[in-house]
Amino acid sequence: MFLCCWLVLGSLIPATLSIDPGVKVRLTEKGIEYGRQLGMAAMQQKLNSIQVPDFSGKERVSPIGKVRYDLSNIRVLKVGIPKSSVDLVPGTGVRMSIGDAFISLNGRWKVKYLRIIKHSGSFDLNVNGLNIATTISIKTDETGRPAVSSDSCSAAVGSAKVKFHGGGSWLYNLFTRFIDKALRNAMQKQICPRATSVVSDLNPQLKTLNVLAKVDKYAEIEYSMVSSPTVLKSSIDLSLKGEFYNIGKHQEPPFSPAAFNLPPQNNNMLYIGMSAFTVNSAAFVYNNAGVLSLSVTDDMIPKSSPIRLNTNTFGVIIPGIAKQFPDLMMKLLVKMEKTPTLTFEPNNATVQATTTVTAFAIQTNSTLSPLFVLNLEASVSARMFVSEMKLAAAVTLNKMDLTLAKSNVGDFQVSALNSILQVVFKWVVIPTVNVQLAKGYPLPTIGKMKLVNTQLNVLKDYMLIGTDVQFS
């Protein structure tokens, strides 16, 4: 899990042309610090797995003479990493450093000298002054997902202190002259491979990044990178495509994302700027799919409402309906005529929608007789919110403007229908839309990531999500 919290989104370097992104991400010092904590926990586990080989040999040791020695069953008891850092190298990548780490070990010793004398016992070994430095490069694999690797690594073991249990003081001379350096070298050779494996262990996790996330049976959203990350002194800025597509059909909308810049905030680990382009591309996709329409019948109107969808109610306003279609139930078809447009202004998200409302009389044989068609221009306010790992919304009606497009029942005052349409939208259309919007769509995510302490603010041309991250 090393560095996952800030490589979740930041480890993408695609081979695509640079275009304006629909989504921007900023990984702050707070997120990098969380990554350091995860990284050091992973490194500690790796160092705990160091396997020190057995040592044996024959040496002449004063005052004993020639001695045969064996050190065996050496195992790691404890690893400490009191000093560590993960630093950004502007324009380059990441550098991980560990200083003054230590490893405590124990094992068994035995010696034989003067041909017949044997001694054995246990020993404790403390390896101190362990320093590690590794640089990490961030690339993309053939699927457009991130991949990381260790470009370079250096490790040094400062000193080793041993305590023999049993035996004479001359054993320390044996260790100092013949075993100390060989043992430190044996350990040092295993440190960089473990540091490298900490980095490479990220790749299976990074492959779970939802570069193309399914929303429902109609739509998916693409979070591939449109340019390389910008590595700064204290943050990483990322540019994601952030565009909806019809499933299996990637058609570009007739509009492009506008450039925007994230504000200099750093209270959270992660900031996600979601532009109006991203949301509008969703509207384009669903409109293309032909699903932005709704049939409204009387059974969908609350029973407590005095307004009913029947020719008796409408006949009061439109005499032609009462005359030609007495005592029949009615149906309204609300249909989007062009892609709705969302705009972001500070603390305000507004959607403009152009629809038609077609009224039908339902004959006793269930056939539909068209009555009239209204043009309806609606303005709704949208409230965005984060729900688990999704961005969701709810809308409320601001106003509507009605004009008559066609009538089969004679001329009438369209404004007289305003109160009826207000009921239809308040009790049926808006709640139905909100049920769908509450389902939300996936945010960029990886593995078992959770967002905590999440805040959302609407700014000019985009909304800003500030959040902390946890990995389970």
Side-chain angles (χ1 to χ4, degrees):
M1 297 299 294
F2 170 57
L3 305 179
C4 265
C5 78
W6 54 275
L7 283 176
V8 166
L9 306 172
S11 54
L12 295 158
I13 302 181
T16 58
L17 294 176
S18 177
I19 60 174
D20 285 324
V23 174
K24 284 189 174 183
V25 176
R26 173 163 293 161
L27 308 165
T28 67
E29 288 181 310
K30 185 177 180 181
I32 293 166
E33 168 58 20
Y34 181 53
R36 184 197 64 79
Q37 295 172 20
L38 294 178
M40 292 310 105
M43 179 61 77
Q44 202 157 0
Q45 291 181 347
K46 292 292 184 179
L47 293 178
N48 267 312
S49 69
I50 284 179
Q51 296 178 338
V52 182
D54 294 347
F55 286 87
S56 62
K58 295 180 180 180
E59 300 293 347
R60 186 171 295 278
V61 181
S62 175
I64 303 300
K66 185 173 288 188
V67 176
R68 177 177 180 83
Y69 65 89
D70 289 283
L71 301 181
S72 61
N73 297 325
I74 305 172
R75 59 191 182 91
V76 175
L77 297 178
K78 183 180 180 182
V79 174
I81 304 178
K83 293 169 56 178
S84 64
S85 64
V86 174
D87 301 308
L88 301 180
V89 182
T92 304
V94 181
R95 180 174 57 241
M96 180 184 72
S97 302
I98 291 174
D100 295 335
F102 65 86
I103 303 177
S104 300
L105 310 94
N106 72 2
R108 301 291 301 176
W109 65 269
K110 63 180 180 180
V111 295
K112 181 180 179 181
Y113 56 95
L114 299 179
R115 295 188 178 182
I116 58 172
I117 300 176
K118 297 180 181 179
H119 290 294
S120 63
S122 63
F123 68 90
D124 297 318
L125 179 66
N126 290 314
V127 177
N128 300 302
L130 175 60
N131 297 304
I132 307 170
T134 184
T135 57
I136 301 168
S137 66
I138 309 166
K139 300 178 181 178
T140 186
D141 65 14
E142 66 280 0
T143 69
R145 288 181 167 83
V148 294
S149 61
S150 179
D151 274 356
S152 65
C153 179
S154 61
V157 178
S159 63
K161 294 182 179 180
V162 67
K163 180 176 178 61
F164 291 101
H165 301 286
S169 60
W170 57 269
L171 285 171
Y172 293 94
N173 293 332
L174 173 68
F175 179 83
T176 301
R177 292 183 59 190
F178 305 110
I179 303 174
D180 180 10
K181 185 176 180 179
L183 188 144
R184 285 188 289 118
N185 286 341
M187 295 184 66
Q188 189 167 299
K189 288 179 181 178
Q190 296 190 53
I191 291 171
C192 273
R194 279 163 172 75
T196 300
S197 70
V198 167
V199 178
S200 62
D201 284 352
L202 273 177
N203 286 318
Q205 286 290 325
L206 296 176
K207 285 185 181 294
T208 67
L209 183 69
N210 57 344
V211 170
L212 191 63
K214 183 177 180 180
V215 180
D216 52 31
K217 64 181 179 180
Y218 303 107
E220 56 195 5
I221 184 169
E222 183 174 338
Y223 284 123
S224 62
M225 296 291 294
V226 299
S227 63
S228 300
T230 302
V231 181
L232 305 173
K233 185 178 180 180
S234 59
S235 68
I236 303 176
D237 285 1
L238 313 143
S239 299
L240 286 69
K241 190 165 191 179
E243 183 172 345
F244 279 78
Y245 291 105
N246 291 104
I247 288 183
K249 182 183 178 182
H250 283 200
Q251 178 184 352
E252 298 298 324
F255 49 86
S256 301
F260 68 98
N261 295 311
L262 298 182
Q265 298 185 16
N266 56 16
N267 292 330
N268 292 108
M269 296 179 184
L270 183 71
Y271 287 94
I272 303 172
M274 191 79 62
S275 71
F277 166 82
T278 297
V279 182
N280 285 329
S281 72
F284 175 76
V285 162
Y286 286 104
N287 197 44
N288 276 356
V291 295
L292 298 185
S293 64
L294 177 65
S295 294
V296 183
T297 53
D298 186 71
D299 60 343
M300 300 166 74
I301 303 293
K303 295 186 183 301
S304 59
S305 173
I307 294 176
R308 312 311 313 173
L309 287 189
N310 58 42
T311 57
N312 293 334
T313 296
F314 278 76
V316 174
I317 300 170
I318 310 172
I321 291 179
K323 182 179 180 179
Q324 298 178 49
F325 304 95
D327 301 321
L328 293 177
M329 302 306 295
M330 289 177 59
K331 175 181 178 179
L332 301 180
L333 175 62
V334 182
K335 184 179 179 181
M336 199 70 63
E337 287 302 307
K338 63 181 183 180
T339 301
T341 303
L342 176 138
T343 56
F344 286 133
E345 296 292 341
N347 302 313
N348 184 30
T350 305
V351 180
Q352 300 293 332
T354 299
T355 67
T356 56
V357 179
T358 304
F360 300 91
I362 305 175
Q363 301 286 357
T364 55
N365 63 359
S366 298
T367 60
L368 300 178
S369 296
L371 305 177
F372 59 84
V373 181
L374 300 176
N375 294 321
L376 189 152
E377 296 287 337
S379 171
V380 300
S381 292
R383 179 179 64 88
M384 309 292 181
F385 57 94
V386 175
S387 178
E388 296 183 346
M389 293 303 302
K390 292 186 176 183
L391 180 65
V395 297
T396 55
L397 181 64
N398 292 332
K399 64 177 183 177
M400 62 170 64
D401 294 318
L402 302 173
T403 58
L404 182 63
K406 180 181 180 182
S407 175
N408 297 323
V409 290
D411 293 333
F412 57 90
Q413 290 293 323
V414 175
S415 59
L417 292 177
N418 188 70
S419 59
I420 295 178
L421 269 296
Q422 289 279 354
V423 169
V424 170
F425 269 71
K426 178 180 178 180
W427 293 107
V428 180
V429 177
I430 295 298
T432 301
V433 170
N434 283 339
V435 167
Q436 298 304 314
L437 293 177
K439 296 177 182 178
Y441 65 85
L443 291 167
T445 185
I446 186 171
K448 296 180 179 180
M449 185 177 90
K450 290 183 178 180
L451 304 183
V452 295
N453 304 322
T454 303
Q455 304 165 20
L456 189 150
N457 294 298
V458 177
L459 304 173
K460 174 67 175 174
D461 296 330
Y462 71 100
M463 55 184 156
L464 182 67
I465 300 170
T467 185
D468 294 333
V469 176
Q470 287 182 351
F471 287 93
S472 57

